[in-house]
């Protein structure tokens, strides 16, 4: 009734002529007033109407100086997605404001593959019995995340009733739009009981940057409260209202300066009641002649107000400044972070992030510590098994072979197996009770069709499927899978045996080029050392036969013991340092490779991997009913005539023992878990090469099932604490784990390319040493010849001497011992300087 009286009072004012309308505070009233404003061509500037359907397309004279609920619902959807919740319950006001906000939230959640699972519409009367009944109804469903979007309520009736119903306890999540912050900021002061009831609520508040203008305005408002001029606190809408008045005043001032005056006109034979549709004759209302111009001036506003920078976007709403994320606890309201459409979540205000060029896809998305309902700090799951939930219908494949994975025992009808143990153990890590009942699928005489089994989850025949379910593309399109608990990559199985003795096995570590390079290096180093030591070391002199033997044996002897011949020349020592380092590396590598060759198991067939198997023409075995057949024929283009179906581990062993020549197979391709089970009872076979067509096994759940996420978390915990490994060993390591018998291809030989750097270094050092030695000899020979000329100046060397004779003389000079050369220099000096 007060709203109706206020509306009629506004109509009386409109009869006198108005240039702009500021308000109203309600989105529902704004819809009606916008129609009148459009008819009178008067700008309607609202600081509180947040309904996203109030658009400029429908109402060209409507301007919003606050943030639209479209931005608010985007922030709310991001909060839900940020915490990993998949389903929410929405409590909303059953009017245009509430329904349109709900629609905006639903659209944003759908973009993130989230959903509203339950809607609780409240009448505008806020009837207590109605609220109680709706909240009680929601308790029987699974989701525990509530989003409340209503008008400001100083009595906080929804939360007082929720507290009475014990819905403000652990496991519940309450998210609210900015109506709560507006309510609490308006209450002055808020009593402690309200904070106690609201403990754990997380909400939004329109972000208003801190500034000197804001601080001054808040100070003036507090002073007005003390003087009795204001009876409520100041919230964000009050600050936007203040800036709205200034924006309109500035625009009218500019309008008058341009147009000199404001003029109105009466409609010609026009009854506005046909346009407005409110049953009141509005013929006498005046039309503003310059309304469109004033709208344009308003939209060009760009000034710094109390709320920050005020300017408009293309939708005629102010540019969003983001939201504060608030958390209510028993002590009051605390900020836990900020949200903006550009930067997402942060603990730093959006204005500061703009300066850093921060984007919402950064890895720094985070919020501060939140106190949730019940006073807990651990994030609630947001979902529980509902009170009236029937036991989950768990489909399990009734296998005919490899029954250790999962099957139904024929006598007791008990479901058991590796997959069942993993599932039951994972349930222990889910912090709530999950009632379930197993439903066998298949006749037990042959393995069931797994695609058909998964499809029954999509058709709501089963709630989930537990078993050896491969995660493949066509299945992920209709169900959600848990975290994988086993690898199901395809592998090759073939016979293996111990490596047979070989008289020439010692040659296998090196390739031929490696042997040649090593032998050449021994020879080269021996020659280099002989050249460098021949003039200064008696061990490297003597008859030619002795010198040749010394040259060959010197470098070889470094392999086994200290050389009998000691090096004297510094250049020789430099070469030996590099040579001994090369020799150490080569020797260690040879020893390691030979050890590996003598101890590793070798294949009894030339198959080394999938490529060599495909290239051959041998028959290949596969398990009946598995996807291996389709993969080999469709993806690897293996001829169907080469593929032989095998139905049990016994058939596997028989076919492999017979081999291709005996009517069997050369190898079997199957999924890794089946092969591991097969190898747990067999010692004559092993896995060849590397796995291919990598995939995994997981448990299948209905799309968007929260249990899929909790099961994934539980499986990760099983993996981390070693329980998953223990279950694996229980079923697959009865003799010894199959990976211990996995055969790899023959160890690679050592190639020259792996050591060419060492050989190159040794060669360079040897060449440098020889070059230095040669330069020293040339210089010494030149000095010697010069002194000879000085001593025998009366009988110079014949001019017709041949170059060959010079070379011979030079090599004869080099062949002399160092002591002999020094003695020759001394004799020359004595002849040149007689006493």
């Amino acid at each position: 009734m007060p709203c109706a009286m206020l509306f009629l009072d506004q109509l009386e004012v409109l009869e006198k002529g108005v240039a702009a309308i500021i308000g109203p505070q309600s989105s529902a009233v704004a819809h009606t007033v916008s129609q009148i404003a459009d008819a009178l061509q008067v700008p309607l500037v609202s600081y509180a109407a947040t309904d996203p359907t109030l658009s400029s397309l429908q109402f060209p004279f409507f301007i919003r100086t606050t943030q639209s609920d479209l931005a608010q619902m985007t922030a709310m959807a991001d909060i839900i997605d940020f915490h990993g919740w998949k389903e929410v319950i929405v409590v909303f006001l059953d009017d245009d404001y509430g329904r349109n906000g709900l629609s905006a939230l639903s659209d944003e959640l759908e973009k993130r593959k989230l959903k509203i699972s339950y809607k609780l519409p409240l009448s505008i009367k806020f009837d207590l019995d109605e609220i109680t009944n709706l909240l009680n109804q929601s308790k029987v469903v699974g989701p525990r995340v509530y989003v409340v979007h209503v008008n400001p309520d100083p009595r906080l009736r929804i939360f007082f009733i929720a507290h009475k119903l014990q819905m403000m306890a652990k496991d519940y999540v309450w998210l609210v739009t900015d109506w709560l912050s507006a309510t609490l900021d308006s209450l002055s002061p808020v009593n402690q009981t309200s904070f106690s009831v609201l403990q754990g609520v997380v909400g939004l508040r329109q972000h208003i940057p801190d500034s000197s203008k804001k601080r001054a305005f808040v100070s003036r408002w507090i002073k007005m409260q003390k003087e009795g001029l204001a009876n409520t606190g100041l919230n964000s809408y009050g600050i936007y209202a203040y800036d709205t008045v200034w924006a309109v005043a500035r625009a009218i001032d500019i309008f008058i300066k341009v147009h000199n005056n404001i003029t109105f006109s009466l409609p010609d034979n026009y009854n506005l009641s046909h346009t407005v549709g409110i049953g009141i004759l509005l013929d006498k209302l005046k039309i503003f002649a310059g309304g469109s111009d004033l709208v344009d001036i308003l939209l060009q506003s760009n000034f710094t107000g109390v709320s920050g920078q005020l300017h408009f976007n293309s939708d005629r709403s102010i540019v969003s400044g983001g939201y504060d994320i608030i958390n209510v606890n028993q002590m009051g309201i605390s900020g836990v972070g900020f949200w903006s459409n550009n930067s997402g979540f942060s603990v730093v205000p959006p204005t500061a992030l703009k300066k850093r060029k921060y984007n919402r896809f950064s890895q720094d998305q985070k919020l501060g510590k939140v106190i949730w309902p019940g006073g807990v700090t651990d994030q609630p799951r947001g979902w529980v098994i509902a009170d009236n939930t029937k036991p989950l219908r768990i489909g399990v494949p009734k296998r005919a072979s490899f029954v250790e994975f999962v099957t139904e025992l024929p006598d007791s009808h008990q479901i058991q197996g590796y997959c069942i143990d993993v599932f039951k153990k994972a349930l222990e890590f889910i912090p709530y009770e999950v009632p379930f009942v197993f439903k066998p699928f298949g006749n037990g005489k042959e393995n069931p069709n797994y695609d058909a089994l998964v499809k029954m989850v999509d058709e709501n025949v089963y709630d989930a499927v537990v078993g050896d379910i491969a995660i493949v593309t066509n299945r992920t399109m209709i169900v959600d899978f848990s975290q994988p608990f086993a690898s199901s990559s395809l592998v090759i199985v073939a016979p293996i045996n111990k490596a047979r003795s070989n008289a020439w096995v010692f040659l296998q570590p090196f390739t031929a080029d490696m042997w040649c390079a090593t032998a050449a290096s021994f020879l080269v180093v021996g020659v280099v050392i002989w050249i460098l030591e021949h003039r200064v070391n008696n061990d490297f002199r003597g008859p030619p036969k002795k010198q040749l033997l010394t040259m060959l044996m010197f470098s070889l002897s470094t392999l086994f013991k200290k050389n009998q011949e000691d090096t004297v020349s510094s250049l020789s020592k430099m070469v030996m340092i590099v040579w001994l380092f090369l020799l150490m590396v080569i020797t260690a590598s040879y020893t390691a490779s030979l050890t590996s060759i003598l101890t590793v198991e070798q294949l009894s067939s030339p198959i080394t991997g999938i490529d060599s198997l495909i290239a051959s023409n041998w028959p290949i075995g596969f398990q009946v009913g598995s996807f291996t057949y389709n993969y080999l024929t469709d993806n690897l283009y293996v001829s169907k005539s080469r593929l032989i179906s095998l139905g049990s581990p016994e058939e596997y062993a028989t076919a492999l023992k017979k081999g291709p020549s005996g009517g069997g197979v050369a190898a079997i391709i199957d999924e890794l878990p089946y092969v591991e089970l097969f190898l747990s009872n067999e010692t004559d076979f092993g896995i060849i090469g590397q796995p291919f067509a990598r995939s995994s096994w997981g448990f299948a759940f209905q799309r968007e099932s929260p249990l899929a996420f909790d099961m994934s978390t539980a499986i990760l915990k099983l993996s981390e604490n070693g329980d998953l490994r223990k279950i694996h060993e229980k079923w697959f390591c009865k003799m010894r784990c199959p990976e211990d018998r996995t055969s790899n291809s023959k160890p690679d030989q050592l190639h020259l390319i792996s050591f060419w750097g060492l050989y190159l270094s040794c060669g360079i050092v040897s060449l440098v040493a020889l070059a230095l030695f040669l330069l020293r000899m040339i210089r010494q020979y030149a000095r010697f010849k010069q002194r000879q000329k000085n001593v025998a100046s009366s009988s110079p060397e014949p001019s017709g001497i041949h170059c060959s004779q010079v070379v011979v003389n030079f090599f004869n000079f080099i062949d002399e011992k160092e002591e002999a050369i020094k003695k020759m220099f001394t004799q020359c000096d004595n002849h040149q300087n007689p006493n």
Side-chain angles (χ1 to χ4, degrees):
M1 189 66 180
C3 290
M5 293 297 296
L6 179 61
F7 181 64
L8 293 176
D9 291 341
Q10 291 174 342
L11 293 180
E12 293 179 2
V13 174
L14 292 176
E15 292 181 1
K16 301 177 181 179
V18 295
I21 301 173
I22 298 177
Q25 299 182 36
S26 166
S27 294
V29 177
H31 276 276
T32 302
V33 177
S34 293
Q35 297 181 53
I36 300 175
D38 288 347
L40 299 179
Q41 299 181 22
V42 175
L44 173 62
V45 187
S46 176
Y47 55 86
T50 59
D51 188 342
T53 62
L54 288 167
S55 65
S56 59
L57 294 176
Q58 185 178 3
F59 305 110
F61 286 86
F62 176 79
I63 299 175
R64 196 191 330 258
T65 54
T66 187
Q67 298 187 64
S68 167
D69 278 343
L70 188 60
Q72 181 169 214
M73 293 310 174
T74 302
M76 184 61 68
D78 277 352
I79 291 176
I80 297 168
D81 189 33
F82 178 80
H83 291 91
W85 299 313
K86 301 299 182 182
E87 299 181 26
V88 299
I89 297 174
V90 179
V91 182
F92 66 100
L93 204 59
D94 194 12
D95 64 357
D96 288 342
Y97 159 74
R99 288 189 296 268
N100 294 332
L102 171 68
S103 177
L105 176 60
S106 179
D107 291 342
E108 290 299 323
L109 290 176
E110 187 176 352
K111 293 177 183 177
R112 296 160 178 78
K113 296 183 179 180
L114 313 176
K115 71 174 184 177
I116 299 173
S117 61
Y118 205 65
K119 301 174 183 177
L120 304 179
L122 298 179
S123 65
I124 58 175
K125 297 179 181 179
F126 268 74
D127 182 74
L128 298 183
D129 291 336
E130 178 190 25
I131 297 173
T132 303
N133 291 334
L134 288 174
L135 291 181
N136 268 326
Q137 292 175 16
S138 69
K139 291 176 68 176
V140 300
V141 297
R144 286 293 181 264
V145 180
Y146 289 79
V147 179
V148 184
H149 180 57
V150 295
N151 285 330
D153 178 24
R155 295 167 58 186
L156 303 173
R157 285 165 285 187
I158 294 176
F159 290 104
F160 272 98
I161 293 175
H163 186 269
K164 183 179 179 181
L165 297 176
Q166 298 183 348
M167 297 176 66
M168 299 298 296
K170 181 182 177 182
D171 292 335
Y172 282 87
V173 177
W174 289 89
L175 307 176
V176 296
T177 51
D178 65 349
W179 68 269
L180 181 62
S181 62
T183 300
L184 296 179
D185 292 341
S186 298
L187 297 177
S188 181
V190 180
N191 61 62
Q192 202 67 26
T193 305
S194 298
F195 285 131
S196 177
V197 170
L198 293 171
Q199 183 185 37
V201 174
V202 174
L204 298 172
R205 174 194 281 149
Q206 297 195 59
H207 176 69
I208 297 178
D210 186 33
S211 65
S212 57
K213 285 188 176 182
K214 177 184 175 182
R215 290 191 293 270
F217 182 72
V218 172
S219 177
R220 286 161 48 198
W221 188 268
I222 294 175
K223 182 178 179 182
M224 291 172 61
Q225 283 184 291
K226 292 179 179 179
E227 295 174 354
L229 300 178
N231 56 6
T232 63
L234 183 64
N235 58 35
S236 58
Y237 289 101
I239 295 177
Y240 281 122
Y242 181 82
D243 283 348
T244 300
V245 174
W246 273 104
V248 172
R250 287 167 175 261
I252 292 177
D253 182 60
I254 296 173
F255 181 87
I256 293 176
K257 289 180 180 179
V258 174
H259 297 277
N260 296 324
N261 60 2
I262 298 176
T263 59
F264 301 91
S265 62
L266 292 173
D268 297 333
N269 300 322
Y270 186 70
N271 190 336
L272 292 179
S273 63
H274 296 298
T275 302
V276 178
I278 60 174
I280 300 177
L281 296 178
L282 305 176
D283 310 56
K284 298 181 180 180
L285 299 183
K286 296 180 181 180
I287 298 175
F288 179 29
S292 297
D293 293 336
L294 183 58
V295 167
D296 294 337
I297 295 174
L298 277 167
L299 293 177
Q300 294 174 11
S301 299
N302 192 353
F303 66 93
T304 302
V306 177
S307 63
Q309 196 68 21
L310 190 146
H311 57 289
F312 297 91
N313 56 27
S314 58
D315 294 330
R316 299 189 177 185
S317 298
I318 63 167
V319 175
S320 175
Y323 287 87
D324 299 340
I325 313 297
I326 63 171
N327 180 213
V328 184
N329 53 54
Q330 291 184 345
M331 303 303 297
I333 301 175
S334 61
V336 295
F338 305 90
W339 176 92
S340 73
N341 198 35
N342 294 324
S343 58
F345 296 108
S346 71
V347 293
V348 180
T351 50
L353 294 179
K354 287 182 180 179
K355 299 177 182 179
R356 303 182 190 176
K357 296 182 179 180
Y358 187 96
N359 63 77
R360 68 178 298 136
F361 302 103
S362 170
Q363 299 298 321
D364 297 330
Q365 297 278 301
K366 60 182 178 180
L367 293 174
K369 184 178 180 181
V370 177
I371 304 296
W372 301 101
V376 299
T377 56
D378 293 336
Q379 177 185 312
R381 295 184 311 275
W383 181 85
V384 297
I385 297 294
D387 297 338
N388 64 344
T389 300
K390 298 179 180 179
L392 293 177
R393 300 159 297 173
I394 307 293
V396 293
K398 190 175 181 180
R399 293 189 58 89
S401 64
F402 293 105
V403 295
E404 288 85 353
F405 287 108
V406 56
T407 194
E408 180 187 28
L409 297 180
D411 297 330
S412 62
H413 300 288
Q414 181 183 358
I415 306 297
Q416 70 172 21
Y418 166 69
C419 300
I420 299 301
D421 283 2
V422 172
F423 175 73
K424 290 182 177 180
K425 192 65 178 180
L427 288 180
E428 297 178 7
F429 291 88
I430 295 180
Y432 52 86
E433 186 69 23
V434 181
F436 65 90
V437 57
F438 287 130
K439 300 286 187 179
F441 177 76
N443 56 20
K445 297 179 181 179
E446 59 183 3
N447 293 336
N449 187 313
Y450 278 45
D451 286 335
L453 177 58
V454 172
K455 189 175 182 181
M456 295 180 75
V457 176
D458 180 52
E459 295 173 349
N460 199 30
V461 177
Y462 298 133
D463 298 303
V465 170
V466 172
D468 46 341
I469 312 299
I471 304 174
V472 293
T473 304
N474 64 316
R475 296 172 185 172
T476 58
M477 295 179 179
I478 58 176
V479 297
D480 286 343
F481 279 94
S482 68
Q483 174 77 16
F485 61 88
S487 171
S488 66
S489 306
L490 294 180
V491 293
I492 302 172
V493 183
I496 58 175
N497 66 344
K498 292 291 182 178
R500 298 178 181 177
S501 300
N502 187 342
W504 303 100
V505 69
F506 67 90
L507 295 176
Q508 292 183 13
F510 288 169
T511 57
D513 55 351
M514 183 70 177
W515 279 118
C516 292
T518 304
S521 64
F522 276 100
L523 181 61
V524 169
V525 169
V527 172
V528 171
I529 296 298
W530 178 83
I531 293 174
L532 298 177
E533 291 289 323
H534 180 66
R535 301 183 70 241
V536 297
N537 194 337
N538 290 329
D539 292 335
F540 290 84
R541 300 186 66 82
K545 184 177 179 180
K546 177 187 175 183
Q547 295 185 50
L548 180 62
L549 185 62
T550 300
M551 184 190 309
L552 294 176
M553 294 302 297
F554 177 80
S555 56
L556 286 174
S557 62
T558 56
L559 280 171
F560 313 106
K561 58 183 177 60
K562 182 179 180 298
N563 303 86
Q564 293 180 352
E565 303 83 4
D566 292 327
T567 54
V568 176
S569 170
S570 58
L571 293 177
S572 299
K573 293 179 180 179
M574 179 179 68
V575 173
M576 285 299 296
I577 290 174
V578 179
W579 167 247
L580 289 175
F581 178 74
L582 183 148
L583 200 60
M584 178 188 68
V585 174
I586 296 299
T587 304
S589 301
Y590 175 86
T591 303
S593 180
L594 182 60
T595 302
S596 176
I597 291 173
L598 292 175
T599 57
V600 73
E601 286 182 333
Q602 297 298 311
L603 298 177
S604 59
S605 72
I607 300 172
T608 59
I610 185 62
D611 293 331
S612 62
L613 180 59
I614 294 176
S616 70
N617 292 319
W618 291 318
I620 303 171
F622 69 95
Q623 183 185 170
V624 175
S626 71
F627 73 90
T628 306
Y629 179 83
N630 290 334
Y631 180 82
L632 292 176
T633 56
D634 298 340
N635 295 75
L636 301 183
Y637 307 106
V638 178
S639 174
K640 296 180 180 180
S641 61
R642 293 179 56 190
L643 301 179
I644 298 178
S645 60
L646 303 171
S648 67
E650 292 76 17
E651 293 184 15
Y652 280 23
T654 301
L656 287 172
K657 289 177 180 178
K658 287 182 178 180
S661 59
V665 296
I668 295 174
I669 296 179
D670 202 355
E671 294 179 72
L672 182 60
Y674 300 122
V675 171
E676 288 182 332
L677 181 57
F678 168 67
L679 294 179
S680 67
N681 297 310
E682 298 288 344
T683 58
D684 296 331
F685 312 107
I687 298 175
I688 301 172
Q690 299 298 321
F692 60 98
R694 296 184 180 275
S695 183
S696 302
W697 285 358
F699 302 138
F701 296 87
Q702 291 187 3
R703 295 300 296 269
E704 301 178 0
S705 170
L707 186 57
F709 176 80
D710 291 339
M711 181 59 67
S712 296
T713 304
I715 291 174
L716 287 175
K717 291 179 180 178
L718 288 180
S719 178
E720 292 171 357
N721 65 16
D723 285 341
L724 199 60
R725 179 65 183 176
K726 292 177 182 178
I727 298 173
H728 176 274
E729 292 176 352
K730 169 187 173 182
W731 289 95
F732 303 142
C733 299
K734 296 177 182 178
M735 297 179 63
R736 55 178 176 142
C737 289
E739 54 266 27
D740 297 336
R741 298 187 303 279
T742 299
S743 173
N744 295 316
S745 59
K746 182 178 179 180
D748 290 337
Q749 292 179 305
L750 300 176
H751 295 267
L752 178 61
I753 192 173
S754 302
F755 302 94
W756 72 269
L758 284 173
Y759 284 110
L760 180 63
S761 300
C762 186
I764 291 175
V765 171
S766 299
L767 288 176
V768 170
L770 287 176
L772 293 175
F773 174 79
L774 184 61
L775 291 175
R776 178 169 172 266
M777 291 298 98
I778 293 174
R779 177 173 174 271
Q780 198 176 58
Y781 180 71
R783 289 174 54 203
F784 173 72
K785 297 303 291 183
Q786 182 64 39
R787 296 209 179 169
Q788 276 188 333
K789 290 181 180 180
N790 294 338
V791 172
S793 57
S794 58
S795 57
E797 188 174 318
S799 58
I801 188 170
H802 296 288
C803 292
S804 58
Q805 186 62 39
V806 174
V807 173
V808 171
N809 292 339
F810 175 70
F811 278 104
N812 289 333
F813 177 79
I814 295 177
D815 189 54
E816 294 290 340
K817 287 188 65 175
E818 187 73 18
E819 291 83 354
I821 298 299
K822 291 180 179 179
K823 186 176 181 180
M824 293 167 61
F825 274 105
T826 303
Q827 291 175 354
C828 290
D829 291 339
N830 292 335
H831 286 297
Q832 190 174 0
N833 302 304
N835 292 331

